[in-house]
Amino acid sequence: MRAARQLRSISWKYALAMILAVVPVDGVADLVDLANSIRSQGCGELSIVDWPLRARTQLDEAARRIAHGVRLETATSGSGYRAKKSASIHIRTAKGDDGVAQMLAQQFCAVIADSTLHEIGVFQRGEETWIVLAATFAPPAPDDTLVVSHHVLELINAARRHTRRCGRKKFPATTSLKQDPALERAALAHAHDMAARSYIGHKGTDGSMPADRATRSGYAWDAIAENVAAGQTTAENVVSSWLASPGHCANLMNPRYSDTGVAYAVNLAGEKGIYWVQLFASPE
């Protein structure tokens, strides 16, 4: 075990030497190159990342704002960058850019090698360096609604085919849901309402509840329920969030429901950016 640790230490020191040899660190641009060299080398248990970080001027500005005491989330949004995920690094060293390079490679490799972060910004002042890494918020386009909603339904029906525990309650495998146009219209109307007014809830701003909206859209229901969510940018993410919530999961797995309508609406100026609605119902 000790020999294995020593070997890993030697390997990492060799990789660090190779990184510093390949990338001459001289200014902000070269720090971006250094970060990408670290990603291409990998570190510890993290795999090598095949795609480089892209420099973004908005993240340079975010790094500058952080240097002036602004919090990360406020700094990114204030620079005009909507982040799905972000991280920041602050380094102070009197050893110049070579010292920054060593600290990045030795102490912050895990952050730089995070494959879910795609873009980078850098700000330097004297002996201090601030780096922001982020993944941009990228919701599906409105034109993709049919494709995305169909994928949500596929994922939900796949979940319904298996026994599942939602909190303390166990649900057996059950039949698949089928899309209903009236429920889709009702879901889309509520998604647009939430997006336009930047809220999450079952009660619409006109006072309507899920049953009201289904009836208004022309669906004669015997039983009805609704799941809502916000912020998730993929079908996989929103279904996972519903399955992780006992109440939402129970709606999703309930064998009483046979029909569904799925929709989302995007408002990048809204607090969450994207708002999801799924209606579950059985007809009269």
Side-chain angles (χ1 to χ4, degrees):
M1 183 65 71
R2 172 183 257 178
R5 284 198 297 268
Q6 289 176 339
L7 180 59
R8 284 197 295 270
S9 177
I10 292 170
S11 298
W12 171 240
K13 289 178 181 177
Y14 174 75
L16 173 60
M18 290 294 293
I19 290 169
L20 294 175
V22 170
V23 182
V25 180
D26 183 20
V28 168
D30 288 325
L31 285 178
V32 175
D33 290 340
L34 172 70
N36 283 322
S37 185
I38 292 172
R39 280 166 75 92
S40 69
Q41 294 286 334
C43 55
E45 300 297 325
L46 296 176
S47 301
I48 292 172
V49 183
D50 292 330
W51 55 92
L53 292 160
R54 300 184 298 273
R56 285 289 297 270
T57 55
Q58 292 101 323
L59 293 181
D60 291 339
E61 172 62 16
R64 187 192 69 80
R65 289 171 180 243
I66 292 173
H68 287 84
V70 178
R71 295 178 59 212
L72 174 60
E73 290 185 5
T74 306
T76 52
S77 61
S79 65
Y81 187 99
R82 183 160 196 138
K84 179 181 178 182
K85 179 181 179 181
S86 60
S88 63
I89 295 170
H90 178 206
I91 295 171
R92 183 195 298 269
T93 176
K95 297 180 180 180
D97 288 331
D98 286 340
V100 172
Q102 290 182 358
M103 292 180 73
L104 283 178
Q106 292 176 333
Q107 299 180 29
F108 298 101
C109 184
V111 178
I112 292 171
D114 185 341
S115 62
T116 65
L117 300 171
H118 307 138
E119 298 178 316
I120 185 171
V122 180
F123 177 74
Q124 290 184 297
R125 184 177 64 201
E127 297 178 352
E128 296 182 88
T129 299
W130 290 264
I131 298 174
V132 174
L133 301 101
T136 189
F137 180 81
D143 291 345
D144 294 333
T145 298
L146 292 178
V147 173
V148 175
S149 62
H150 181 68
H151 189 33
V152 170
L153 180 58
E154 288 179 329
L155 294 171
I156 286 174
N157 282 335
R160 284 169 66 92
R161 287 194 290 268
H162 301 278
T163 299
R164 183 173 301 274
R165 185 172 292 280
C166 300
R168 296 182 178 181
K169 188 172 182 179
K170 187 176 182 180
F171 287 85
T174 188
T175 56
S176 294
L177 298 168
K178 62 181 183 296
Q179 288 177 309
D180 182 89
L183 293 178
E184 288 178 355
R185 290 193 299 272
L188 183 60
H190 189 48
H192 278 302
D193 186 43
M194 291 196 300
R197 294 162 178 82
S198 193
Y199 77 97
I200 308 168
H202 298 291
K203 186 175 183 179
T205 54
D206 62 354
S208 65
M209 297 301 289
D212 302 318
R213 294 187 287 272
T215 299
R216 186 187 300 162
S217 296
Y219 187 93
W221 53 272
D222 176 62
I224 195 161
E226 183 181 73
N227 282 354
V228 295
Q232 300 85 353
T233 56
T234 66
E236 289 80 4
N237 287 343
V238 73
V239 173
S240 294
S241 70
W242 282 333
L243 288 172
S245 166
H248 294 93
C249 176
N251 286 340
L252 189 152
M253 291 297 299
N254 194 326
R256 185 177 183 182
Y257 303 128
S258 58
D259 298 335
T260 190
V262 183
Y264 66 86
V266 175
N267 178 10
L268 295 181
E271 181 181 354
K272 296 294 185 179
I274 182 170
Y275 298 79
W276 299 83
V277 178
Q278 181 167 22
L279 281 167
F280 305 85
S282 57
E284 285 183 333

